[in-house]
Amino acid sequence: MRIEFGKRCSMMKEAMSLLELAVNVDETERRRYLSTMGRFGQEMEPGILLQEELLELAGRIPVTEPMRRYFERYQEKGLGSLARNLLCTFDAEETDDARKMKEKALCGLSAYSFDAFPDFSSYLPSDTRLPLDGEPVSFLASVKKLDLEERFKARLIFAFQDPEESLEELGGLLEQAAKLLEPFRGRIEAEEEKGERYWRDYFVSHTLQEFLALVGAYPEQDGYDRVLIRWNAVGGAFLSIDMEDGQEGGCLEIGMGILMNEKAIRSFKKGDEHRAMELMADPVKMDILLYVSQTPHFGRELAEHFGLTTATISYHTQELLNEGLIEVRQQGKRSYYSLNRERVREVMAWMERLFL
């Protein structure tokens, strides 16, 4: 098995994360994020200090209306921000400057005929319903009528009438954030280099299956022959694994924050019972837990059962997986989610000790 790493310190991606923090994270969430830092251990101290400074930097950025338009997350709908959905579709976030980002995105967009798209002239970022043939219908229903490939369907929420002009405006915002991050570049690259050494050493003595078991994900034994880790410096306490529908060429992509190592992952899984209870108090997440408690289900089954998009389900299941409340096993091209009964028992026992 071969382990590979994405581009170090992709400034457009880190700038995007910084602006998303500025727009979406309030003071209460900042305090909670900082309180989790103690779980990473003294050996991560330089990375923890960097995270604290970046979080403070995001809190000092004045939030403008264009920033809200591009970087406000639609987490409850699983849609992410407009900027991330557009750029990540074409890997345009893996660049160092706005000009390259714009060129890469426009090159990818050129493969699609915008004449076929619904009329987005009345679209507002706060809208959840968009017009099609004069009648207001959901955005997803509009897109499904276009018969475009599935990957692109999930990203079309950017809904720009003029992609070139929009990318110019977006690029300007990202360039401003990148300038703020420039003094941190050396430290970010140093933490990513340290992380690369750590995970290369880890995979010398551990298999991919052992790593995935650590995070509660179980793919088919022979499904992947290489791993690609893409770093995230601004969001250092972050881990995501995309097994849904498999990865092309036998490559499993993992999003990794620079603070994540085996000890940190185990600490997260052992857990933050307060965070676990927060997730279980969310009605959608509780419904998912109840639904998979008897029979495992894959993502599209969950989406159809609850009348949600697969992107929304992916958002909820990733949070439940990160806290260890569910497990995921791959069969063929499908990933089946099931309840992690042992973890749920731990949380319930903690509640009993707390109250009784």
Side-chain angles (χ1 to χ4, degrees), residues 74-80 140 154 284-285 288 299 302-303 306-319:
Y74 297 83
Q75 287 185 332
E76 71 280 6
K77 306 175 190 68
L79 298 176
L140 186 64
V284 176
K285 292 182 178 65
I288 291 172
L302 293 172
F306 293 111
L308 300 171
T309 67
T310 53
T312 304
I313 290 296
S314 178
Y315 163 72
H316 289 295
T317 53
Q318 185 65 57
E319 288 215 315

Side-chain angles (χ1 to χ4, degrees), residues 347-356:
V347 176
M348 301 311 292
W350 172 81
M351 277 198 69
E352 185 175 17
R353 290 195 301 272
L354 187 66
F355 289 104
L356 304 179

Side-chain angles (χ1 to χ4, degrees), residues 231-257:
W231 291 115
N232 187 309
V234 172
F238 169 79
L239 176 68
S240 70
I241 301 172
D242 182 12
M243 296 193 331
E244 194 68 35
D245 295 328
Q247 296 294 321
E248 293 182 5
C251 178
L252 180 65
E253 291 193 13
I254 300 173
M256 184 83 74

Side-chain angles (χ1 to χ4, degrees), residues 150-254:
E150 186 63 31
R151 183 177 74 115
F152 196 61
K153 286 179 185 177
R155 313 295 193 194
L156 280 175
I157 191 61
F158 67 88
F160 296 139
Q161 285 296 98
D162 188 338
E164 187 155 357
E165 182 180 330
S166 297
L167 285 169
E168 194 71 39
E169 183 178 34
L170 173 58
L173 293 169
L174 290 170
E175 278 189 322
Q176 292 175 43
K179 286 179 182 177
L180 295 174
L181 284 173
E182 190 59 40
F184 297 90
R185 182 195 282 265
R187 293 166 64 191
I188 290 173
E189 290 179 338
E191 289 302 311
E192 290 176 346
E193 183 179 358
K194 184 167 68 177
E196 286 187 21
R197 290 198 302 269
Y198 176 87
W199 287 108
R200 285 190 192 280
D201 290 344
Y202 176 91
F203 281 109
V204 167
S205 55
H206 297 79
T207 65
L208 175 61
Q209 282 69 34
E210 287 175 319
F211 169 77
L212 292 170
L214 172 68
V215 300
Y218 301 92
E220 290 187 320
Q221 288 292 319
D222 302 320
Y224 306 100
D225 57 18
R226 61 194 178 99
V227 174
L228 173 63
I229 293 179
R230 295 184 182 273
W231 291 115
N232 187 309
V234 172
F238 169 79
L239 176 68
S240 70
I241 301 172
D242 182 12
M243 296 193 331
E244 194 68 35
D245 295 328
Q247 296 294 321
E248 293 182 5
C251 178
L252 180 65
E253 291 193 13
I254 300 173

Side-chain angles (χ1 to χ4, degrees), residues 37-45 48 263-264:
M37 298 295 181
R39 301 167 67 183
F40 292 94
Q42 288 186 339
E43 69 275 14
M44 305 298 286
E45 191 169 342
I48 292 171
K263 179 180 176 181

Side-chain angles (χ1 to χ4, degrees), residues 93-142:
E93 82 283 10
E94 297 284 340
T95 56
D96 271 338
D97 61 64
R99 179 183 58 80
K100 291 179 183 176
M101 174 272 292
K102 179 181 173 182
E103 288 176 357
K104 200 164 187 179
L106 286 174
C107 181
L109 285 167
S110 67
Y112 298 90
S113 169
F114 277 76
D115 293 338
F117 287 9
D119 176 14
F120 294 121
S121 58
S122 62
Y123 172 75
L124 295 173
S126 57
D127 289 347
T128 57
R129 297 168 69 81
L130 295 172
L132 179 67
D133 297 333
E135 296 181 11
V137 295
S138 71
F139 178 81
L140 186 64
S142 300

Side-chain angles (χ1 to χ4, degrees), residues 253-267:
E253 291 193 13
I254 300 173
M256 184 83 74
I258 57 173
L259 289 178
M260 302 306 290
N261 58 19
E262 182 179 5
K263 179 180 176 181
I265 293 172
R266 290 190 185 281
S267 174

